[in-house]
Amino acid sequence: MSNATIDPQRPVGELAREVPAYTRVFEAAGIDYCCGGDASLAMACDQAGVNLDDVREDLADVQTDDAQAIDWDDLADLIDDVVETHHQYLREELPALEGLVRKVARVHGENHPELEALRAAYLALAPAMKAHIREEEEEVFPIIEKLDRGDSLSDAERRRLREVIEEMEADHEETAELLDLIAELTDGYTVPADACPSYESMIERLDALERDTHEHVHKENNVLFVEAETKLSDGVESRNS
Ligand SMILES: [Fe+2]
Ligand SMILES: [Fe+2]
């Protein structure tokens, strides 16, 4: 089947899961495929204010045998990928970028009053993300790994897993709102004409943080949590039959 025939009613999260390279097209078009992954391609294009046919053409140009494809069926491997790729990056980048955001706000605040709001948004975002990844590693992933191994879960563990997945998804929404605010305050990560190298580096790294977070949240919301919930429901059915 040719990509040009992609059904506009298919959810964007599902498309991104099937062909990871599609996320580059979604990023470029400003389409939300992570927290808004349940929206159809047509609806997501409408929300982003982009032309559906143009996006379908861009998707058709993507090489679907892209090497970055991950074996989504193995949840333990997916958890390792999330921790090693995204959580590790955040552990290093969040504190380093915090120093830079503070410094740029201090030095350039007079000419760029929006930097005070940017600093405040970042200082709300960074500790929340740090707490979030710790909770995933300590509370959420161990139960999913147990489920993935086929070990039976107690009723309390099943309830807890459903609860924490909902909490994590709510955290993702809050993170997305703060990142949207940061994108707005930097005029879509535009480097101003009077920026020094530190300012430029801050903008580039904030942009990279947003892109990485989209990919990260997509892997959790649209793959890991969906698969865990499917396994939970399967377990209930087989116990009741
Ligand atoms: Fe995570
Ligand atoms: Fe997460």
Side-chain angles (χ1 to χ4, degrees):
M1 192 181 76
S2 155
N3 291 336
T5 60
I6 287 173
D7 179 357
Q9 295 314 317
R10 291 200 57 197
V12 281
E14 202 176 281
L15 290 170
R17 173 181 173 162
E18 219 165 83
V19 183
Y22 283 166
T23 59
R24 287 203 289 271
V25 175
F26 294 151
E27 286 289 349
I31 288 172
D32 172 15
Y33 64 94
C34 39
C35 282
D38 290 339
S40 68
L41 180 62
M43 203 189 290
C45 284
D46 195 45
Q47 277 162 359
V50 291
N51 183 278
L52 172 64
D53 290 333
D54 292 348
V55 171
R56 286 173 86 201
E57 257 175 54
D58 290 343
L59 292 173
D61 290 339
V62 166
Q63 295 297 320
T64 55
D65 58 347
D66 196 278
Q68 66 160 305
I70 299 167
D71 177 11
W72 297 121
D73 291 332
D74 191 330
L75 296 191
D77 279 357
L78 179 54
I79 288 173
D80 284 348
D81 173 76
V82 163
V83 172
E84 281 161 26
T85 310
H86 303 290
H87 291 195
Q88 195 48 39
Y89 157 75
L90 288 171
R91 286 198 167 97
E92 287 165 20
E93 183 64 355
L94 288 173
L97 191 46
E98 181 176 324
L100 193 55
V101 168
R102 284 180 187 275
K103 179 181 151 188
V104 171
R106 195 174 60 237
V107 177
H108 294 270
E110 210 169 306
N111 290 333
H112 291 276
E114 74 281 6
L115 288 174
E116 180 46 39
L118 177 79
R119 190 179 69 103
Y122 188 86
L123 292 182
L125 177 76
M129 285 188 102
K130 269 184 250 171
H132 173 87
I133 61 175
R134 193 172 53 238
E135 193 173 358
E136 284 180 335
E137 290 175 20
E138 288 173 7
E139 295 256 351
V140 190
F141 295 168
I143 312 182
I144 296 180
E145 280 165 340
K146 205 172 160 186
L147 186 67
D148 191 46
R149 281 197 302 270
D151 294 359
S152 64
L153 299 188
S154 67
D155 287 340
E157 280 175 317
R158 291 172 174 277
R159 264 198 311 276
R160 182 70 191 134
L161 182 55
R162 286 212 162 87
E163 242 169 51
V164 282
I165 286 179
E166 264 182 42
E167 283 169 26
M168 294 303 103
E169 287 174 344
D171 283 356
H172 292 163
E173 299 266 357
E174 278 172 33
T175 299
E177 279 168 26
L178 286 168
L179 287 170
D180 282 350
L181 176 61
I182 289 172
E184 206 179 295
L185 290 166
T186 57
D187 193 18
Y189 306 106
T190 306
V191 179
D194 62 342
C196 66
S198 295
Y199 199 151
E200 189 173 349
S201 165
M202 177 194 77
I203 297 279
E204 280 168 8
R205 285 163 72 173
L206 287 170
D207 190 6
L209 175 67
E210 187 191 66
R211 283 166 187 269
D212 184 84
T213 304
H214 288 165
E215 203 188 310
H216 177 184
V217 168
H218 161 64
K219 287 177 187 173
E220 291 173 354
N221 276 15
N222 298 326
V223 189
L224 187 61
F225 296 163
V226 168
E227 291 298 323
E229 277 166 340
T230 305
K231 278 180 195 275
L232 268 182
S233 317
D234 289 351
V236 169
E237 274 162 32
S238 63
R239 284 197 309 170
N240 291 343
S241 64

